[in-house]
Amino acid sequence: METQMDGSAYGPTGYEDECERRLREGAPPNLLPMRMRLMELQAHEITRCMDALSRVSRDLLFGGFTALRLQGVPLPHTLQRYGDTVGGDDLCVLAPRRNARTRLCGARFYHMNIPLQIVEPMPGIRCVSVVCTWFMLARFLSLEELVTLGDCLLMRRVAHDPVTIEDFDVFVTRMEKLGKLHALGRKRAPRGVKKARRAIALLRGNMESPQEARLSLELRKRGLPEPVANPSIILDDGTVVRGDLVFVDAGVICEYDGAHHLGQLEQDRIRRAKIECSGWRYVQVTRVDMATPDARAWMARRVAYALEERTGVRYPTDDVIPLEAIADRELRTMLPAWGRVA
């Protein structure tokens, strides 16, 4: 987005997830399934956008977090820290040209000089596509959050039109080539394109929540083997279950239990007992295990111990590998694919 704000100025403090906030305020956590919560948020955002359209005399094109909410995307709670940069709870509206603004309370206007992919989540409401929005946010978000958001867009059973990793690759390839198109008045590729390319190398898809995506990245940062996300597992009694993150060869299942599991404790106990009786080593991870660097370090050690118990291979987890280094390593293996024309 062509704006003077710099996302790097906003640090990791000052946010909390919904469950933590509700518990602090003495309210019960929201135990509704994620899809139902997303439908509520999507309907609320559609109402807000329709109200904004009724107060102006021209069409509006929505982007940023607004575009993602309009399309039912589950947003990682860590994105709240960037509210002052990319709109937060304000509506994010794309201006047709630089310095073109409409007076509209509760909205922030941005301009980005790139070809836009525009969709209509409902008649009369226009916004940029999820992949286009993801790229526009690349300059503001950390690499980890950009990957987490990308994996959210790749989730199964999404409200928006399904996308693939190839869709991300095609879009970013076009952006990389924009710097050479002087007819558009550009002298370089859009900001954030290098980070977006790295993020694509780390996308895996098949996640079922933002927390799963964050957990998978944390394990990789700790030097552990890469798990398989949500594969089907046949238990000894013939039951088929899906494990969140599975080390198939080692027979270890690592699962993230969010707030909604509080409403199904008995079912979860029975399910875990069946998994362990079928010979799998089970590691449970909760929001507390991901809350601080020390907690994440201990969580990684627990997973490493489980892997060592099954394979005899020891995995030191004290050092954190930068995601940039992991992405660059992945990109080197993908080198022959570079230069593809979208």
Side-chain angles (χ1 to χ4, degrees):
M1 299 177 185
E2 301 294 343
T3 171
Q4 299 302 312
M5 300 176 186
D6 180 6
S8 64
Y10 294 87
T13 59
Y15 70 89
E16 59 184 348
D17 66 23
E18 179 192 8
C19 178
E20 181 176 322
R21 176 182 60 78
R22 292 174 69 91
L23 290 174
R24 176 175 55 80
E25 295 173 351
N30 187 347
L31 302 183
L32 284 175
M34 183 175 66
R35 185 166 180 81
M36 293 182 64
R37 296 202 304 272
L38 290 175
M39 291 172 64
E40 288 182 348
L41 292 172
Q42 185 180 23
H44 176 67
E45 200 72 359
I46 288 174
T47 300
R48 295 178 66 208
C49 291
M50 291 179 66
D51 175 68
L53 286 166
S54 70
R55 291 186 280 123
V56 296
S57 58
R58 66 176 182 84
D59 289 337
L60 299 176
L61 177 62
F62 299 101
F65 294 168
T66 302
L68 297 179
R69 294 189 191 104
L70 281 172
Q71 296 172 84
V73 175
L75 299 181
H77 68 80
T78 49
L79 295 186
Q80 296 173 22
R81 72 181 72 165
Y82 296 98
D84 289 340
T85 310
V86 289
D89 291 333
D90 289 336
L91 293 176
C92 178
V93 183
L94 296 177
R97 58 189 180 277
R98 190 185 298 273
N99 298 324
R101 302 290 188 270
T102 298
R103 190 177 298 276
L104 181 61
C105 181
R108 297 194 183 196
F109 286 79
Y110 303 88
H111 173 69
M112 193 164 186
N113 185 24
I114 64 170
L116 301 175
Q117 293 179 345
I118 299 175
V119 297
E120 279 195 35
M122 73 169 295
I125 296 182
R126 300 162 63 245
C127 64
V128 292
S129 72
V130 292
V131 173
C132 184
T133 303
W134 175 86
F135 178 79
M136 294 168 71
L137 292 172
R139 62 175 293 188
F140 299 108
L141 306 184
S142 70
L143 179 58
E144 181 167 354
E145 285 156 349
L146 191 62
V147 176
T148 301
L149 178 58
D151 275 330
C152 289
L153 301 182
L154 292 165
M155 284 170 51
R156 295 177 291 185
R157 300 189 297 274
V158 292
H160 56 82
D161 290 337
V163 296
T164 65
I165 294 178
E166 184 179 3
D167 293 325
F168 288 89
D169 180 60
V170 167
F171 192 90
V172 172
T173 298
R174 288 174 177 164
M175 298 303 104
E176 289 168 333
K177 296 179 181 297
L178 270 185
K180 301 177 182 178
L181 299 179
H182 301 295
L184 293 180
R186 301 202 65 95
K187 296 182 179 179
R188 58 177 174 81
R191 291 173 61 183
V193 69
K194 184 176 181 180
K195 191 189 301 181
R197 176 56 67 191
R198 280 174 163 164
I200 290 174
L202 298 173
L203 292 177
R204 292 298 181 267
N206 214 35
M207 303 293 176
E208 294 197 342
S209 73
Q211 293 82 0
E212 281 184 21
R214 289 182 60 224
L215 175 56
S216 177
L217 287 176
E218 187 64 32
L219 296 177
R220 293 161 71 184
K221 285 161 55 180
R222 297 284 175 172
L224 297 175
E226 185 174 338
V228 179
N230 290 291
S232 295
I233 299 170
I234 302 177
L235 304 182
D236 288 349
D237 65 353
T239 303
V240 179
V241 299
R242 281 208 309 272
D244 290 352
L245 300 171
V246 180
F247 301 89
V248 179
D249 293 338
V252 174
I253 295 177
C254 182
E255 294 206 316
Y256 183 92
D257 287 350
H260 70 280
H261 286 271
L262 295 175
Q264 55 185 52
L265 293 178
E266 192 63 31
Q267 299 96 310
D268 285 349
R269 290 194 188 102
I270 295 173
R271 177 178 176 276
R272 175 172 179 172
K274 287 183 177 181
I275 290 173
E276 292 180 327
C277 287
S278 296
W280 290 87
R281 180 73 155 78
Y282 189 97
V283 180
Q284 182 185 47
V285 178
T286 68
R287 53 179 297 277
V288 175
D289 296 310
M290 298 290 289
T292 66
D294 287 344
R296 291 192 291 272
W298 173 237
M299 178 276 299
R301 288 192 201 105
R302 289 196 291 123
V303 177
Y305 292 154
L307 291 173
E308 182 179 356
E309 181 184 88
R310 288 304 184 91
T311 66
V313 178
R314 185 177 181 183
Y315 295 98
T317 59
D318 292 335
D319 295 331
V320 180
I321 306 171
L323 276 182
E324 289 79 5
I326 299 175
D328 289 343
R329 185 176 61 210
E330 295 279 346
L331 287 172
R332 284 193 292 272
T333 66
M334 299 162 57
L335 190 61
W338 287 8
R340 286 178 294 187
V341 177

